[in-house]
Structure formats: structure tokens, C-alpha cells
């Protein structure tokens, strides 16, 4: 046996202390302020909402860029991003069925599947089976509140900032909802058809009914009944609007023409917006694009 030098013992103790601090799951009060919590959002609208809440306190990364979330399968790099993220915000299997396979491997504490609890959202005037909840500003506020709650748990030091930004956003969305509903209310008697169930959360709060050309037999029957009525009226010009998704395509144009409808492609995912665009920009563009078609239809509210 021999006695180790005192300096060696002290150095060894410091090394073990350093390793222990790295293994801790919470931020140290003396941690580098440049280290930000990472939030992964599956689709651009959720990334927009996460940024509204995170501000400069957290980094938001986007998974689906330019693809279809219904069929998106994460790449190897995406899987690594998901596995390493403290929080992944996604809609859920009803919208992202393929991504659900990967998310089944992620612990409940590290994910926020928004469609798991639909009691937190408004569905008045919309199809309960329409998963595009972010297209109603008041629902966007509810999503932001959930993100703020989870971020506050993960990053208590920034909790008040997260919650305050969510409250500010909620007030702004209440006003935006009123503006949107007033703009669409005049078209509540105009026949509106969508290529699939995507826009009832956008139009529904204003009392505007949207019939879908896809979906279950009940929805398809409703659409066919309405379209038969449109064809029988046949006044020589479009009497309603068909809304598809970007990019615009000839198939949807031909369908609209056959049904005596105007046509406009909408962008519910914000895929044509700049990468740093905010949620308000998404909704303002959606409303402006919808009115490009609606403004050509006579106002029937009188």
C-alpha cells in the first residue's frame, strides 16, 4: 500500500463532481445562459405557436418541412432529433399516423400530443373529426397554453416568461378570431366545398358550413346533395367555392368547374410562407386567399 498525493485525490474528487453535475436533468443556476431548452414541433403551425411561447428562452426545431404530415416518416436524423429533445409537440395519430410509430417510443413526459385531450378545444360549427385545430385562433391559444405549461415544468427559471407570453397571445387570438369571423360571416350562405376535411375549424366559428368531397359516407352524402342543388340552380356563373390545398392543380380546377364552383388553393400549413413567419401571418394569408374566391360570389346574407 502507498499513500496517494493529496493533489491527486483532490483532482479526482473534482472530476467525479463534474460528471455528477452533467448527469443531472435540471439546469444548474450557474449554467451557461446560452444553453437553451430545445422544443421540436412536428409541423410549421405548431412551430409558430411554440415560438410565440418560447420567445428567446428556448429553441424551436421543425420536423416536417415541405412534406405531407399525414404521411411523414422521420428520417434517421429526425429520429435522433426526436430522441434527444426534451419536448416534442405534435398533433397526434389522427393527423400524423406514420409519425405515431416513432412517437410510441418516446416517453409521455417528453411529448405533447395535442389531440389526446380534445376537451381543451372548441368545435362549435366544425366537424368534430377535423384534426386541423390550429386553424381556429382560439384553439391556437389553447395550444400555446399547453406548450407554456410543459415548458414551465421543464424550465422553471423561465416559467413566468412562458406563461406571460401565452397569456398575451391568448388575448391577441381572441381579437383575431373576431376579425376573422366578421370577415367570413357574410358568406355563411355560400356553398363551400373542400377537397378533404381541413377547413371546418377555419370557417365554422363564423357559421359557415364546409362540405368535404372526402371522408365518411355521411360527409360525402352531404356534399353530393349540396352539389346536386348547385347544379340544378345553374345560373351561368360560380355559386360557391371549392377549396383545395397548395399547390393549385388542374384536377381540382376541373372539379370546381364541373360543379359550377370557383376554385382557390389554401395553405393551412404555411408552406409558402417565410421560415420565420408567425401564426398571425399564417391566418391572415389564409383569410386573404379564401376571400379571393369568396369575393367573386354574390353576398347572400341580405
Amino acid at each position: 500500500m502507498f499513500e496517494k498525493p493529496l493533489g491527486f485525490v483532490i483532482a479526482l474528487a473534482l472530476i467525479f463532481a463534474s460528471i455528477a453535475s452533467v448527469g443531472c436533468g435540471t439546469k444548474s443556476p450557474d449554467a451557461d445562459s446560452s444553453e437553451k431548452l430545445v422544443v421540436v414541433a412536428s409541423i410549421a403551425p405548431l412551430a409558430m405557436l411554440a415560438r410565440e411561447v418560447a420567445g428567446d428562452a428556448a429553441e424551436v426545431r421543425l420536423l416536417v418541412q415541405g412534406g405531407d404530415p399525414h404521411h411523414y416518416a422521420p428520417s434517421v436524423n429526425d429520429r435522433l432529433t426526436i430522441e434527444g429533445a426534451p419536448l416534442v409537440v405534435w398533433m397526434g395519430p389522427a393527423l400524423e399516423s406514420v409519425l405515431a410509430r416513432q412517437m410510441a417510443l418516446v416517453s409521455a413526459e417528453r411529448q405533447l400530443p395535442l389531440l389526446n385531450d380534445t376537451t381543451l378545444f372548441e368545435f362549435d360549427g366544425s366537424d368534430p373529426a377535423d384534426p386541423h385545430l390550429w386553424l381556429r385562433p382560439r384553439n391556437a391559444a389553447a395550444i400555446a397554453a399547453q406548450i407554456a405549461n410543459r415548458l414551465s415544468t421543464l424550465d422553471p427559471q423561465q416559467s413566468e416568461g412562458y406563461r406571460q407570453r401565452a397569456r398575451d397571445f391568448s388575448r391577441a387570438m381572441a381579437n383575431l378570431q373576431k376579425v376573422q369571423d366578421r370577415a367570413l360571416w357574410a358568406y355563411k350562405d355560400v356553398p363551400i366545398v373542400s377537397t378533404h376535411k381541413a377547413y371546418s375549424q377555419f370557417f365554422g366559428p363564423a357559421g359557415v358550413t364546409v362540405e368535404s368531397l372526402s371522408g365518411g359516407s355521411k360527409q360525402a352524402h352531404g356534399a353530393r346533395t349540396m352539389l346536386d342543388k348547385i347544379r340544378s340552380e345553374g345560373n351561368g356563373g360560380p355559386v360557391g367555392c371549392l377549396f383545395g390545398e397548395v399547390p393549385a392543380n388542374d384536377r381540382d380546377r376541373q372539379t370546381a368547374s364541373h360543379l359550377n364552383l370557383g376554385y382557390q388553393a389554401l395553405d393551412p400549413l404555411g408552406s409558402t410562407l417565410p421560415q420565420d413567419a408567425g401564426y398571425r401571418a399564417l391566418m391572415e394569408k389564409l383569410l386573404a386567399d379564401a376571400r379571393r374566391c369568396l369575393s367573386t360570389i354574390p353576398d347572400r346574407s341580405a
Side-chain angles (χ1 to χ4, degrees):
M1 298 291 291
F2 58 92
E3 187 176 0
K4 295 183 177 63
L6 180 59
F8 175 81
V9 174
I10 293 174
L12 190 63
L14 290 174
I15 291 173
F16 280 121
S18 176
I19 293 173
S21 66
V22 170
C24 182
T26 59
K27 287 186 177 180
S28 166
D30 299 326
D32 185 351
S33 59
S34 65
E35 294 180 3
K36 295 183 179 181
L37 187 70
V38 174
V39 182
V40 173
S42 62
I43 56 176
L46 298 185
M48 295 172 183
L49 297 177
R51 287 197 296 266
E52 294 281 357
V53 174
D56 294 328
E59 177 186 352
V60 179
R61 298 178 184 174
L62 175 63
L63 282 181
V64 184
Q65 303 188 45
D68 183 349
H70 297 287
H71 307 293
Y72 162 77
S75 65
V76 173
N77 286 338
D78 289 344
R79 290 198 295 272
L80 292 174
T81 298
I82 291 170
E83 292 167 3
L87 180 62
V88 180
V89 183
W90 63 305
M91 292 306 298
L95 183 78
E96 300 151 303
S97 57
V98 180
L99 176 60
R101 301 169 190 169
Q102 179 67 29
M103 295 307 299
L105 305 176
V106 178
S107 66
E109 294 76 16
R110 294 197 300 110
Q111 62 172 294
L112 178 58
L114 295 160
L115 289 168
N116 272 17
D117 186 1
T118 57
T119 63
L120 301 174
F121 301 106
E122 296 181 12
F123 288 89
D124 293 345
S126 69
D127 183 344
D130 181 355
H132 303 73
L133 300 181
W134 68 87
L135 295 182
R136 184 185 300 230
R138 282 195 295 265
N139 281 343
I143 292 173
Q146 291 185 67
I147 295 174
N149 287 338
R150 294 295 292 273
L151 290 182
S152 296
T153 300
L154 292 168
D155 188 8
Q157 292 180 343
Q158 300 290 340
S159 174
E160 183 52 36
Y162 296 137
R163 296 184 188 278
Q164 185 59 55
R165 284 187 286 273
R167 289 191 291 267
D168 293 342
F169 182 71
S170 180
R171 287 190 289 270
M173 290 305 97
N175 291 329
L176 181 60
Q177 187 75 65
K178 293 176 183 177
V179 171
Q180 182 173 298
D181 291 351
R182 281 198 298 267
L184 294 174
W185 182 85
Y187 307 103
K188 61 186 179 66
D189 296 321
V190 172
I192 294 180
V193 181
S194 65
T195 54
H196 73 291
K197 290 187 292 186
Y199 304 121
S200 69
Q201 283 285 351
F202 176 71
F203 289 104
V208 179
T209 301
V210 181
E211 299 288 355
S212 173
L213 294 178
S214 65
S217 58
K218 182 177 180 181
Q219 288 82 8
H221 176 73
R224 284 195 299 270
T225 300
M226 185 187 72
L227 295 174
D228 287 341
K229 182 176 183 295
I230 291 174
R231 281 192 290 266
S232 68
E233 291 176 351
N235 63 356
V239 296
C241 290
L242 172 69
F243 293 110
E245 289 192 5
V246 294
N249 61 84
D250 290 338
R251 182 186 62 185
D252 287 348
R253 286 193 184 93
Q254 292 168 3
T255 300
S257 177
H258 175 69
L259 299 173
N260 198 26
L261 299 171
Y263 168 65
Q264 178 66 43
L266 301 181
D267 186 13
L269 292 173
S271 59
T272 60
L273 293 173
Q275 288 188 345
D276 60 348
Y279 177 79
R280 181 179 289 274
L282 169 69
M283 299 309 292
E284 288 177 347
K285 186 175 190 305
L286 199 64
L287 179 59
D289 287 345
R291 295 184 72 178
R292 282 192 176 91
C293 181
L294 293 171
S295 63
T296 66
I297 308 301
D299 184 352
R300 299 185 177 187
S301 61

